[in-house]
Amino acid sequence: MGLFSKKDCAVCGGRAGLGSKKLSEGVLCKDCREKLSPWFDAFSEASAEDIRSQIDAREENRRALESFQVTKAWGIKKYQTAMQFIYDGDQRCFVVVEGPEDTFKDRNPDIIRFDQVRNIWLEVEEGWSESDNQYAPASNRILTQDKYDEVFWRYDFYLNFALDHPYLSQIRYPMNFKTTVIQVPQRMFLFKRGLELAGEYSGEEIAYQADRLEAMAGKEEAWIRLGKYSDVVRLKYSDQSLPEHLVKDIKNDLYIKKIENVAAHVRRAERISRLILGK
Ligand SMILES: [Zn+2]
């Protein structure tokens, strides 16, 4: 008879009840699980020994964080729980962590060295919905060209890091805090399926998309200034109580701001990729 019953945690021997995870052999209790990296999810391939060494490494990490000097934190500052990419340029390492820069060490984020990163790529999810609601699900219906300017295009950005690291093989974090929801006016005979940004980009491709979006914001703004965009006023962000010309200005500004906002996420991905990979 073994020392632990099958229901006991293979790492600490405690009771593995609710919130436990299956390992390659045995189970892991919730308490032990909470000591692991938030990026770790390869439970089914991990042995109890792997988990023990990760817990040790995480304690070591907490000590190492004391000498981590913040060069910069890149992320949305407006929301307390938005993800931040924070790096130490002298020691050439970084963390990706939820929440504000001033308390990030309390959350013991994993320190990743630049030379542990094999690849970085930006993943853009592009969908559409009929409602401008932040939480509306993306539709999977077929969309015809004549509806491109009526629907709301939705964008989410994830930055991926492929790693050579003792217990993490990949980090994938959401770069935006809220889904960007935008209507995209059409020009005559030139149909635009949203910002046409769905896909995965690395290296120069990220830079290319950032340039393209920034140029688009500039072009659209010039187009609006010239008054060529009677379409833009059709964008249906709701506010019926204002005079039409004011509504038009607000909608135009909002439209340009949203493209700039999308471009900013892509530009941030480019900065991170350049910093770590040099491209
Ligand atoms: Zn345990």
Side-chain angles (χ1 to χ4, degrees):
M1 213 179 101
L3 196 57
F4 299 156
S5 103
K6 269 191 183 159
K7 290 195 179 112
D8 289 336
C9 173
V11 171
C12 71
R15 183 109 176 92
L18 221 61
S20 60
K21 280 274 184 186
K22 253 181 132 66
L23 298 175
S24 64
E25 282 176 55
V27 289
L28 184 72
C29 78
K30 189 165 171 276
D31 288 350
C32 286
R33 205 182 110 191
E34 280 168 359
K35 295 176 184 163
L36 303 181
S37 166
W39 305 114
F40 179 77
D41 61 4
F43 292 97
S44 58
E45 296 122 61
S47 67
E49 195 42 52
D50 293 336
I51 299 295
R52 272 189 214 102
S53 54
Q54 181 178 162
I55 291 173
D56 290 346
R58 295 267 304 150
E59 278 314 304
E60 186 56 42
N61 188 80
R62 190 182 288 283
R63 285 189 288 275
L65 276 171
E66 288 167 21
S67 60
F68 187 103
Q69 297 288 334
V70 177
T71 305
K72 278 247 161 71
W74 287 336
I76 311 285
K77 303 293 191 283
K78 192 172 156 193
Y79 302 103
Q80 282 286 301
T81 54
M83 300 299 292
Q84 303 291 327
F85 170 93
I86 304 177
Y87 73 96
D88 177 335
D90 292 334
Q91 299 192 74
R92 298 186 62 75
C93 58
F94 68 98
V95 298
V96 178
V97 62
E98 186 186 292
E101 181 193 332
D102 42 347
T103 57
F104 80 97
K105 291 183 182 179
D106 301 347
R107 294 181 289 287
N108 194 19
D110 302 281
I111 300 172
I112 313 288
R113 297 195 318 264
F114 290 0
D115 66 10
Q116 288 173 319
V117 179
R118 278 193 289 114
N119 196 11
I120 296 176
W121 68 100
L122 172 67
E123 187 187 331
V124 184
E125 280 183 4
E126 179 180 67
W128 62 273
S129 56
E130 271 162 12
S131 138
D132 65 348
N133 186 305
Q134 179 65 33
Y135 303 102
S139 174
N140 50 18
R141 294 209 323 275
I142 287 175
L143 186 65
T144 49
Q145 284 184 344
D146 57 314
K147 299 277 192 289
Y148 283 0
D149 63 345
E150 289 177 20
V151 301
F152 295 87
W153 297 93
R154 316 176 64 83
Y155 294 89
D156 287 298
F157 305 83
Y158 299 90
L159 198 61
N160 293 272
F161 302 82
L163 304 176
D164 280 321
H165 182 273
Y167 53 86
L168 297 175
S169 58
Q170 193 175 323
I171 288 178
R172 176 183 186 265
Y173 85 93
M175 301 189 79
N176 52 329
F177 186 73
K178 289 178 161 185
T179 301
T180 301
V181 181
I182 179 173
Q183 277 196 301
V184 179
Q186 305 290 312
R187 287 186 197 153
M188 236 168 341
F189 309 120
L190 191 67
F191 292 103
K192 277 187 292 190
R193 208 186 144 80
L195 302 175
E196 298 173 326
L197 191 58
E200 294 186 351
Y201 308 97
S202 60
E204 285 304 315
E205 295 162 358
I206 306 178
Y208 172 82
Q209 292 298 337
D211 291 347
R212 181 176 76 86
L213 290 160
E214 283 169 5
M216 186 192 289
K219 246 187 272 171
E220 298 289 79
E221 200 167 15
W223 196 263
I224 287 165
R225 258 203 319 274
L226 286 169
K228 289 192 175 176
Y229 242 158
S230 60
D231 301 88
V232 180
V233 79
R234 285 174 48 212
L235 297 181
K236 46 189 179 186
Y237 297 106
S238 50
D239 198 337
Q240 306 300 330
S241 59
L242 293 167
E244 189 175 312
H245 72 275
L246 211 57
V247 173
K248 189 169 175 170
D249 286 349
I250 290 169
K251 286 170 176 173
N252 288 345
D253 285 354
L254 191 59
Y255 169 57
I256 300 301
K257 274 213 180 69
K258 291 206 179 204
I259 300 178
E260 285 170 352
N261 168 272
V262 168
H265 290 306
V266 178
R267 196 56 89 189
R268 190 168 349 106
E270 187 207 350
R271 280 205 306 269
I272 292 171
S273 177
R274 258 186 220 290
L275 173 75
I276 294 175
L277 302 176
K279 62 179 181 184

